[in-house]
Amino acid sequence: MENGRGQWMSSFGFVLAAAGSAVGLGNLWKFPYITGANGGGAFVVTYLLILLFLGVTVMIAEIALGRHTQLNAYGAYKKVKEKWAWVGGMAILTAFLIMSYYSVVGGWVIKYLVDMTTGALSSNDPAALGAAFGGFIGAGASPLIYMLVFMVICFVIVIGGISGGIEKANKILMPLLFLFIIIVAIRSMTLPGAAEGIKWLFAPDFSKFTGAGFLAAMGQVFFSLSLGMGAMITYGSYVDKEADLAKSGWTIPLLDTFVAIMAGLAIIPAVFAFGFEPSQGAGLVFITLPAVFSQMPAGQLFGIIFFLLVLFAAITSAISLVEACVAWLIDEKKMARVKATSLTILGIIIFAIPASMSMGAWSGIHLWMGLGFFDAMDFLTSNIMLPLGGLLLCIFVGWVWGTEKADEEITNGGKLQWSYAPVWNFLIKYVAPLAIAVIFVVGLMPK
Ligand code: PHE
C-alpha cells in the first residue's frame, strides 16, 4: 500500500492504464457494428478525423486538469474555481452510475468465459443461443453472483493503490489483451469467406453515410475514450510533473483506435465466414459469436481467448470508474483507501442489483420513458451526463481555467516545446464545445 495519494511508477504505466480505461466494451461490441452499419470506410475516416480534432483535444485537457490540481474530479474543479465543483461532482456520479450496469455486463462476460471453457456454449443455432442468453440474464440469482465476482476482482485491484494495484493490473492485462486480439483477428481473417466481412466493414459506402453517422461517430469517440466522467482527470492526477502530457494525449487514443479496428477484423469476418448477420451490442458478443466459435476449427480455444480478452477490457475500464469515486472519498472525505474502496464497491453493488433484476423479474418496473433500471442508467449516462460533462469540461478548461494556464501545465512550465498549442487552444475554446453541444441536442431528439 502506498502513502498519500500515490503515483504512477512510469509514464508508460500511466499510458497503459489510461488505454485500459479507454479500451472496453465500446471497442469490442459497438465499434465493429456501427462501422459496418454506417458506411464502412467512410465512417472510419470520419471517426478518425473526429478523434484527431476532438478526442485528442479533450483527452489532453482532462489529463492536464488532473495533473495540475493533483486531485479527484470534484477537487480538481473546486481548486480552480469553487463555483464549478458541482461539475466535478457530476462527473463522479456519472462514473458511479455507469458502474451500476457495467458491473452487470462484466458478470455476463465471466459467465460466458466459464461456459466457453466447459463447453456449455457449443450450439450453432443463434435462436437457441439467444434464448439461453435471455434466460440467463433474467434469471435473478445467477447473474447477480457473477456480478459480485466481477466486483470482487475490481475491489482487489483498486485496494492495491495506484502503482501497486491499478498500474500493475494494467501492465499484465493490457499486453495480453493486445496479443489476444491479434491472434483472434488473424484467425478470423484467414477463414474462407472472410473477405465478405472485411468488405462490409471497410468498403466505403457513401450512400449509407448520413448525418446520423456523423453524430454516431462523435458519440463513439467520447464514450470510447472514457471522456466526460472524470476518469482521465483522476488518472491524470497521478502523473508526475515531468511527464509529457501532450504525447500521452496522442498515444492513448492511438492505442484505443488500434484495438477498435482490430476488434472489427476479429469479429466481423468470422461472422460472415459462417453465414451469420452482424447484430448490435449484446447480441453480437453473447449470441452471434458463440455460434461462430462453435463452427470454427479449434473454436473453443479461440472462444476462450476471446472472452478472456473481453473480460480484461471490461476490468481495466471498470477499475478506472471505481477509482474516480475512490479518489474523491480519499481526497475530500480523508478516508483510507481500503475503506473508500469498500464503500464504493458496496454502493455500486446496491445499484447493480436493480440493474441486473431489470433484465428479468423486475422488467416491468420502468423509471422513465418505458426504460427499466439498466437501460435508464445507460441512457442517462451515455446520452445526457457524458456529453454534458464533456461540454462543461471544454468550457471550464478553455475559458475558466484558461488556455494560458493549461498550456503552461502541458508544457511543464515552458520546459517542453509544444508547437500544437495554438491549434489546441482554438479547438478547446471554440470547436469542441460547439461540436459537443450539437451531438448533445441532436442525440436527445426523438428518433
Ligand atoms: N471507454 C470504455 C469503452 O470503450 C467505456 C467507458 C466509458 C469506460 C466511460 C469508462 C468510462 O468501453
Side-chain angles (χ1 to χ4, degrees):
M1 207 87 44
E2 296 150 53
N3 299 323
R5 299 189 76 248
Q7 213 177 50
W8 306 112
M9 232 144 49
S10 65
S11 288
F12 175 70
F14 160 63
V15 168
L16 265 193
S21 170
V23 172
L25 302 169
N27 303 55
L28 297 171
W29 75 17
K30 209 164 159 203
F31 184 84
Y33 181 81
I34 60 172
T35 298
N38 284 288
F43 180 87
V44 174
V45 172
T46 311
Y47 179 86
L48 289 178
L49 285 174
I50 296 173
L51 184 103
L52 229 57
F53 288 106
L54 295 187
V56 172
T57 303
V58 177
M59 177 68 72
I60 293 175
E62 286 209 14
I63 298 171
L65 179 63
R67 193 187 59 172
H68 173 69
T69 56
Q70 312 256 297
L71 286 169
N72 66 94
Y74 173 86
Y77 276 94
K78 187 170 170 200
K79 188 168 176 182
V80 173
K81 193 99 191 158
E82 183 106 37
K83 270 201 192 127
W84 279 70
W86 67 273
V87 179
M90 186 181 80
I92 294 165
L93 181 65
T94 310
F96 181 84
L97 294 178
I98 292 178
M99 270 311 286
S100 71
Y101 64 88
Y102 216 84
S103 59
V104 174
V105 182
W108 298 350
V109 177
I110 297 178
K111 153 84 174 167
Y112 271 66
L113 177 60
V114 170
D115 281 2
M116 195 47 94
T117 311
T118 58
L121 273 177
S122 54
S123 163
N124 58 11
D125 174 12
L129 287 162
F133 176 62
F136 162 67
I137 65 174
S142 159
L144 286 176
I145 291 166
Y146 283 104
M147 176 273 289
L148 281 177
V149 174
F150 184 78
M151 290 313 295
V152 168
I153 297 174
C154 294
F155 176 76
V156 168
I157 295 173
V158 176
I159 52 164
I162 301 310
S163 64
I166 297 177
E167 184 171 357
K168 221 186 231 167
N170 275 290
K171 273 188 176 156
I172 299 167
L173 299 180
M174 290 306 287
L176 282 173
L177 188 155
F178 290 130
L179 175 72
F180 287 174
I181 198 147
I182 292 170
I183 294 174
V184 182
I186 292 174
R187 168 70 283 194
S188 173
M189 286 188 295
T190 51
L191 288 165
E196 193 66 25
I198 299 177
K199 216 172 99 198
W200 185 83
L201 252 184
F202 294 123
D205 177 353
F206 287 93
S207 70
K208 275 201 259 166
F209 190 78
T210 58
F214 196 76
L215 292 168
M218 214 150 19
Q220 175 68 7
V221 166
F222 277 88
F223 185 80
S224 191
L225 292 180
S226 306
L227 298 173
M229 34 63 65
M232 292 301 168
I233 300 176
T234 310
Y235 272 14
S237 76
Y238 306 121
V239 175
D240 79 86
K241 287 286 183 190
E242 301 301 314
D244 186 342
L245 300 187
K247 199 168 122 201
S248 309
W250 286 94
T251 316
I252 299 157
L254 256 172
L255 289 173
D256 187 65
T257 307
F258 170 77
V259 174
I261 293 187
M262 290 306 286
L265 292 172
I267 293 170
I268 303 294
V271 169
F272 275 88
F274 295 106
F276 295 113
E277 284 287 311
S279 57
Q280 190 169 14
L284 182 60
V285 171
F286 296 108
I287 299 168
T288 315
L289 282 182
V292 167
F293 287 124
S294 79
Q295 301 201 5
M296 190 186 276
Q300 189 182 10
L301 177 66
F302 287 105
I304 294 171
I305 294 178
F306 178 79
F307 278 103
L308 260 181
L309 90 86
V310 179
L311 179 62
F312 293 171
I315 291 172
T316 51
S317 291
I319 55 180
S320 74
L321 294 164
V322 173
E323 179 60 25
C325 306
V326 167
W328 169 67
L329 290 173
I330 291 177
D331 293 342
E332 308 297 321
K333 307 286 167 204
K334 308 289 172 238
M335 261 179 216
R337 175 166 286 275
V338 179
K339 187 172 169 200
T341 312
S342 312
L343 262 181
T344 303
I345 298 277
L346 208 70
I348 291 169
I349 291 172
I350 291 171
F351 274 68
I353 292 171
S356 183
M357 294 301 289
S358 73
M359 294 287 156
W362 300 358
S363 63
I365 303 171
H366 296 157
L367 290 194
W368 62 79
M369 292 173 18
L371 297 176
F373 195 88
F374 185 111
D375 295 325
M377 288 305 124
D378 182 17
F379 181 86
L380 178 68
T381 52
S382 308
N383 296 3
I384 298 176
M385 296 174 83
L386 282 182
L388 199 59
L391 174 64
L392 291 169
L393 177 103
C394 292
I395 297 172
F396 185 74
V397 171
W399 299 90
V400 180
W401 184 27
T403 48
E404 218 165 276
K405 290 199 190 115
D407 289 345
E408 197 174 305
E409 182 65 36
I410 295 160
T411 58
N412 298 347
K415 269 187 259 161
L416 298 174
Q417 194 67 22
W418 195 40
S419 49
Y420 186 66
V423 181
W424 184 81
N425 294 351
F426 180 71
L427 291 172
I428 195 81
K429 279 178 96 154
Y430 304 101
V431 181
L434 261 176
I436 300 169
V438 171
I439 332 177
F440 185 38
V441 173
V442 177
L444 282 183
M445 293 208 276
K447 299 254 149 47

